[in-house]
Each structure stands twice: as structure tokens, then as C-alpha cells.
Amino acid sequence: MTCIVALEHAGAAWIGCDSFMGDAHQRDRIDRPKFYVRNGMAIGFAGSIRAAQLVEHGLRFRPHQVSESVQRYLVTEVARKIRIVLNREGAAVREQGTDSHEAEFVVCLRGEVWTIQQDYAVLRSAHGYTASGSGAPFALGALAATPKLEPHRRIMAALKAAATFSTAVCDPFHVEEIR
């Protein structure tokens, strides 16, 4: 019940989010962005707030080394530690011998945008942008239709489209450049 949007532009990454908090029966606004920035890395979250809180407050990641690929770092450091803490704290879901979580994370690092999926897979879209949460289909459509807009306006257009067509996305919106 959210919308996280991120895109790559001119060597930087941009991330944005809505403020919806609730479910199919009630609605409120969360009092802070659904992403945080630490050590040059932004992590946004869609899905389980508990999983997001455990990642934000229960994990510290070693710094990314310039000589290491971003994908390798995200797979071996970030996704691995997310899996460990969610399993340890009981926030992982176990089904048929696998474990996953009920959150998806959008990560911006070194000008690249990545998604850590519920099964801990780490992916980067060939389009240079991604969206997560219930508003993602609407946001992705807006991103595809606005390639010439500057990043802040493009993310705002995507979030506004998501809020227009999804009952689980609302303002205020938060946008930040990550360098």
C-alpha cells in the first residue's frame, strides 16, 4: 500500500515516495518518508513496515568499496544482512522450504537504482527506473511517458499518477537526489 519510485539520471539516482499508511478499510499518512539515506545509499520500502523498521534500525552495512560492483555488494552485503535480520526477528515468511519477506526494497547507490525483491533477489531494470508498491503500475506508466522531464518533476508526475489511480497512494510526496 504505497508507491516508491526511483530513477537514474546523469550519474545520480533519485528516489521518491508517497505517504499512505493503512489498508483497505482505513487511511492515514505516515509522518516521514518511506526511505532513508545512510552512507550515500538510499533504501526505500514497500510492504511490511516492520520489515522496513528492522532494516533501517537493526542493520548497519559496511561501506561499498569502489572496486566492488554494486550488484555484488547488494547481493553479498545488503540482501544477505536483510535476510539474516528478518529471519532472526521473525519477520520472514517461510513457505515450502524457502524464506521471503513481505516487503520490497528499492536501493539507490552510486547513481544506480536496484530492487531487492521479496525472495532477496537483486535486480536492476534496463529502463533506468523502477517503482514498487501498489501504485507501481501507474508510476511506471508515467515514467515511461515522461523521459524528457527533469528527474524531480518526473518522479512527482509518477507519484501523482499513482495517487490518482490507486486508493493506496497519497500525498505528501518526498523526493531526494542521491549522489
Side-chain angles (χ1 to χ4, degrees):
M1 303 274 190
T2 196
C3 191
I4 307 295
V5 178
L7 61 85
E8 300 169 1
H9 180 79
W14 290 75
I15 189 166
C17 69
D18 77 318
S19 295
F20 180 89
M21 176 177 69
D23 57 29
H25 306 289
Q26 61 185 359
R27 170 186 178 122
D28 199 351
R29 287 176 168 86
I30 193 168
D31 66 348
R32 57 177 297 264
K34 295 176 186 174
F35 64 85
Y36 69 95
V37 181
R38 188 175 296 130
N39 298 327
M41 178 171 62
I43 299 180
F45 53 88
S48 168
I49 297 293
R50 176 67 178 147
Q53 290 172 336
L54 287 168
V55 170
E56 180 176 4
H57 301 292
L59 287 180
R60 295 293 177 259
F61 306 109
R62 69 169 170 77
H64 174 256
Q65 304 300 313
V66 177
S67 61
E68 179 181 28
S69 81
V70 173
Q71 182 181 29
R72 178 176 174 78
Y73 171 75
L74 293 176
V75 169
T76 62
E77 177 70 11
V78 178
R80 184 183 69 77
K81 283 190 174 176
I82 289 173
R83 183 178 186 183
I84 290 167
V85 75
L86 296 184
N87 276 298
R88 184 183 69 224
E89 298 295 331
V93 178
R94 295 189 181 278
E95 294 178 1
Q96 301 173 348
T98 65
D99 66 290
S100 63
H101 53 88
E102 294 181 359
E104 188 168 87
F105 298 94
V106 173
V107 179
C108 300
L109 179 64
R110 302 232 184 248
E112 297 178 356
V113 173
W114 296 80
T115 303
I116 300 176
Q117 295 186 319
Q118 292 182 356
D119 67 351
Y120 308 100
V122 176
L123 303 170
R124 181 174 177 218
S125 172
H127 296 291
Y129 56 81
T130 192
S132 185
S134 55
F138 310 109
L140 289 169
L143 289 169
T146 58
K148 296 194 186 309
L149 284 182
E150 59 92 10
H152 187 276
R153 291 187 58 195
R154 194 171 178 203
I155 288 177
M156 289 298 290
L159 291 168
K160 287 177 184 177
T164 299
F165 295 104
S166 173
T167 60
V169 177
C170 71
D171 63 355
F173 306 123
H174 305 275
V175 180
E176 191 166 333
E177 179 181 16
I178 311 302
R179 284 213 174 259

